[in-house]
Every structure is written in structure tokens, then in C-alpha cells.
Amino acid sequence: MEILIQGKKRKVKNSVLSEIMNEINVNPEEFLVVRDNELITSDTKINNGDSLELLSIVSGG
Amino acid sequence: MKCSICKEKAVIELNYLKKAFCKEHFIDSFEERVKKHVEKNKLVDKNDKIVVGVSGGKDSLTMLYLLNKWYPGQVSALTVDEGIKNYREHTIKIVEKFVKEWGINYKKLSFKEGIGFSLDEICKKLEGIPCSYCGVFRRYLLNKGAREMKATKIAIGHNLDDEAQSIMMNLFQHGLQRFVRMGPLSGVVDNEKFIRRIKPLREITEKETRAYFFIKKFPHDIWECPYMQFAFRHNIRKMLNDYEKDNSGTKANIVKSYDSFIKKFKKTKYNIVFCEKCKEPTSSNICRACIIKEEFYERTRNKGKTKN
Ligand SMILES: [Zn+2]
Ligand SMILES: [Zn+2]
């Protein structure tokens, strides 16, 4: 299916957030995920066309 | 996933605590754990005047917000402007807006005025790692500034991730002097010139402060320190997070191990001495700040080779 990550279209094979994170090589220790302005947990089912925002956990310094 | 408390839909999972929380219970749990840490370690006394070192990042602002909420009238903010172009000027704006909004007493010091040169200038002259110079002078000015503000404690926004990183960094580099000085309340000896440092967020992970910040809709900084790429800390963080991903609780365990070890070790007392040049508290005859300053001026006098 196709989803939006940081506004960019991306094809993914999986549909559970933790699996998608693994697939796109993003460590959940370093990013939180927001959908529709809400934080979501790793077991969340992601649907075709969903828009995800990755919040970097690390501060600028 | 359901909230461990109310069974509503969770917004965050904290694997190291084996818990998940809805928005409301996450905020409660976060604040409760910080408060408990502060009380358990007796970080704040009712007569304390606390100066919070604020960078404009999520950790220091969260800490400022909470301490001001719990200890109104005892809290002020202090920012150190290192002089990092295209970075610090933005984060200072965030700080200034924040303290105005919450009515918090605020002071700003700069490397340029307080030391004589900015971090950018140091990095053009000296070859060392920017963060090590920055750390030395920032601690120096925070202590001096807080003392001038008549503070009895300086609050630093170090979270559990920072703490685990510092422990590993000092181990990797055999930095044992610094190693024994970490902990929730540092500064081993009471001395009027040395203001003790407290770390209220020490048992909270970085991920949690980020989530707290997001839920509270606080202004997150999007700017990245241009010297970050040089930071050894950056590599250690990556290493620990890669490991934590498959082994929840590793970072918390590093800090716990350190604490158990240091508890025994710290029964030994230390003396603080004063820098022969600037009279600030230090652990050697001449403080690190004065040593770097001397190097800097030496280079300037000799018009020695300037780093690009
Ligand atoms: Zn709940
Ligand atoms: Zn000195």
C-alpha cells in the first residue's frame, strides 16, 4: 500500500506500525509517530493513504 | 494497545516500564515520576532558590515549567549564549517567549561577554572537539551566573538518555574524575562558590519528554546545533538506542548500576579547590576554562595556524 511519511509518498509492504518502522529502518527509540495530530503506539494498524509524521526525539543539542 | 490505568486507547508505550498510557495518564505519570525523583533525592528544599539552565530544548523547558509549577517564587531561568551562529539566536527566542508567557524571572549570559570570545571563535582557533569547550564554559558561566542570581541550586535538564550516555562516554574515555561526579545531585562538597546541580529529569527517558512536549503543545525547536556532527555523544546515543530497541531497559539499567556503585563510592569526601587564576571552584589548581582561554590567547598572540 501507499502511505505518506513526512508528506512524502512511500510504498510499504506491512500494515502494522512497528513492522513499517522496521521496514523503513526507523528506530522507535529515536522517533515518535503522529497520525491525525495524535501520537500512536507501535501496534497501530496503518491504512492505505494514511499520513504519518515522525517526531525526532533528539534535541538539537 | 490500552492504557495500563484506564484501559482507554494508549498514545505511548514505555517498554522499559512495561506500561502504556493514554494522554491524560501519561501526563500524570510523567509528572508524578519527576516529582517523586525530586522528593526522594531531596533535590529541592523549601528555602532553595533554583536557577534553571535553559537552552530552549524540550528537556530544559519541561523542567522549567514543572519546577515553576511546583515551587512558584523559587525558580528563575538562566540561558547561556555560546555564540553559535544560525542556531542559538533561534533557540533564545523560544526561551524568551516561554519565560514571558509563564512570568518567570530570566537572565542571559554570553560566552562573548563572560569569557571573551564565542564558541565559533574558539573553534576557528583550536582543534579540539567543540562540545568539550562548550561544556567547560557553559558549566563555568552557569555556576557564576547562578551565584550572582543568589541561587542555592542549579537545575540541569539531563534526562535518563543523557545520563546513560555520559556514563558510557566516561567509561569509554576513562574519564573517572568526571565519572564520579555524576548523579542526581552533583557537587560533592558544599561550598558557597560552587552551586550544587540537580537533575530533576534524570529518571525520565528522552522519548517521554518529547511526548510530554508534544501533548502540552510547547514550542519545539527545529534547529540543530551545527557542531552536533562532531559529538562523540552522538555516536554513543546511536549505539545505545540501537541496543535498547531490542533490549528494553538497557539505558535505565546503566543508570541504576551507576547509582548503586556510586552510593558506596561517595562515602569518601572530596575537597574543592579554587582556580589560581579566576578563583572559581575547580578540581585542579587551574580550571579547565582558564586553560582553554590561555591556549586561545596564545594562538591569537602567535597568530598561530588557524583552523578552517
Ligand atoms: Zn488512561
Ligand atoms: Zn579559572
Side-chain angles (χ1 to χ4, degrees):
Chain A
M1 62 178 183
E2 198 172 79
I3 56 174
L4 288 163
I5 297 171
Q6 312 294 62
K8 275 193 199 133
K9 276 185 196 162
R10 177 131 191 187
K11 279 204 166 63
V12 289
K13 290 190 208 90
N14 294 288
S15 61
V16 176
L17 181 60
S18 60
E19 288 162 358
I20 294 178
M21 296 279 271
N22 228 336
E23 188 182 335
I24 63 173
N25 206 10
V26 171
N27 185 347
E29 284 299 308
E30 303 196 323
F31 291 90
L32 289 166
V33 184
V34 173
R35 184 179 63 183
D36 300 326
N37 286 316
E38 297 284 357
L39 293 170
I40 51 174
T41 50
S42 66
D43 61 337
T44 306
K45 170 114 177 40
I46 305 299
N47 305 308
N48 190 34
D50 275 0
S51 176
L52 305 181
E53 192 194 336
L54 301 177
L55 294 187
S56 169
I57 287 166
V58 174
S59 273
Chain B
M1 204 173 293
K2 289 190 164 99
C3 170
S4 309
I5 295 172
C6 71
K7 309 298 170 204
E8 288 288 311
K9 192 170 176 305
V11 295
I12 188 165
E13 61 212 290
L14 303 175
N15 295 333
Y16 81 109
L17 298 177
K18 298 193 174 60
K19 284 196 170 122
F21 294 111
C22 68
K23 236 194 256 184
E24 188 194 327
H25 288 121
F26 170 66
I27 296 289
D28 286 354
S29 157
F30 182 98
E31 295 189 0
E32 217 177 273
R33 281 178 291 130
V34 179
K35 188 87 196 265
K36 227 168 115 186
H37 174 71
V38 170
E39 288 173 353
K40 185 181 76 194
N41 294 286
K42 301 189 176 65
L43 300 189
V44 179
D45 187 86
K46 67 178 192 312
N47 300 316
D48 269 333
K49 227 187 138 212
I50 307 157
V51 161
V52 179
V54 192
S55 66
K58 63 187 186 312
D59 301 296
S60 60
L61 289 181
T62 296
M63 182 178 60
L64 178 64
Y65 167 79
L66 288 176
L67 290 177
N68 187 57
K69 175 171 141 177
W70 295 329
Y71 309 101
Q74 288 179 262
V75 175
S76 315
L78 174 61
T79 293
V80 175
D81 177 359
E82 307 92 347
I84 305 174
K85 225 174 157 222
N86 297 323
Y87 173 61
R88 192 47 92 207
E89 65 269 32
H90 303 297
T91 58
I92 283 176
K93 270 190 205 123
I94 295 184
V95 174
E96 288 175 347
K97 200 167 160 242
F98 197 89
V99 292
K100 205 171 156 194
E101 190 180 335
W102 296 98
I104 299 165
N105 177 30
Y106 166 72
K107 183 173 171 153
K108 188 181 90 180
L109 291 176
S110 69
F111 276 25
K112 189 82 192 165
E113 284 166 52
I115 307 287
F117 37 79
S118 69
L119 185 66
D120 287 344
E121 288 173 305
I122 299 172
C123 293
K124 279 187 197 124
K125 281 255 156 59
L126 303 178
E127 287 85 3
I129 297 166
C131 306
S132 65
Y133 298 127
C134 186
V136 168
F137 291 123
R138 207 162 40 180
R139 269 194 301 279
Y140 185 90
L141 287 179
L142 271 179
N143 188 61
K144 216 171 157 186
R147 201 173 60 221
E148 283 160 13
M149 291 165 87
K150 307 234 178 318
T152 53
K153 300 263 169 67
I154 300 175
I156 305 292
H158 284 191
N159 53 45
L160 188 136
D161 290 67
D162 294 325
E163 212 58 9
Q165 287 154 20
S166 298
I167 293 166
M168 296 314 284
M169 285 163 72
N170 286 322
L171 281 178
F172 277 33
Q173 298 179 312
H174 194 232
L176 290 185
Q177 267 224 14
R178 243 170 298 161
F179 187 76
V180 297
R181 283 201 307 253
M182 290 184 297
L185 179 68
S186 48
V188 218
V189 190
D190 276 316
N191 183 286
E192 53 174 24
K193 280 198 113 179
F194 185 81
I195 316 290
R196 302 194 84 177
R197 297 148 66 90
I198 59 173
K199 296 172 183 169
L201 300 182
R202 193 170 178 267
E203 287 181 4
I204 298 284
T205 58
E206 185 161 25
K207 181 195 268 189
E208 293 169 82
T209 339
R210 184 67 188 94
Y212 184 85
F213 223 70
F214 176 79
I215 293 169
K216 284 276 182 188
K217 298 190 168 62
F218 286 157
H220 187 64
D221 59 321
I222 48 164
W223 297 278
E224 210 172 70
C225 177
Y227 295 120
M228 186 137 115
Q229 44 160 328
F230 295 102
F232 174 42
R233 182 176 289 278
H234 191 68
N235 299 334
I236 297 278
R237 170 194 287 137
K238 177 92 180 46
M239 179 193 84
L240 288 178
N241 282 340
D242 283 347
Y243 197 77
E244 177 87 25
K245 180 172 173 267
D246 304 314
N247 304 276
S248 312
T250 301
K251 289 183 281 193
N253 282 338
I254 291 172
V255 176
K256 272 187 215 153
S257 304
Y258 173 84
D259 287 355
S260 327
F261 161 79
I262 216 73
K263 216 183 238 163
K264 296 199 172 144
F265 187 82
K266 276 205 172 155
K267 296 209 166 115
T268 334
K269 277 265 175 185
Y270 295 90
N271 285 323
I272 270 207
V273 291
F274 296 96
C275 172
E276 287 169 7
K277 291 195 174 230
C278 71
K279 312 287 178 236
E280 286 294 314
T282 172
S283 50
S284 49
N285 294 345
I286 296 178
C287 78
R288 276 293 292 155
C290 284
I291 292 170
I292 302 171
K293 266 161 103 170
E294 191 44 52
E295 256 178 73
F296 179 86
Y297 289 125
E298 177 85 31
R299 277 295 161 88
T300 313
R301 274 193 299 275
N302 297 342
K303 293 215 168 61
K305 68 163 190 281
T306 297
K307 209 181 72 170
N308 290 319

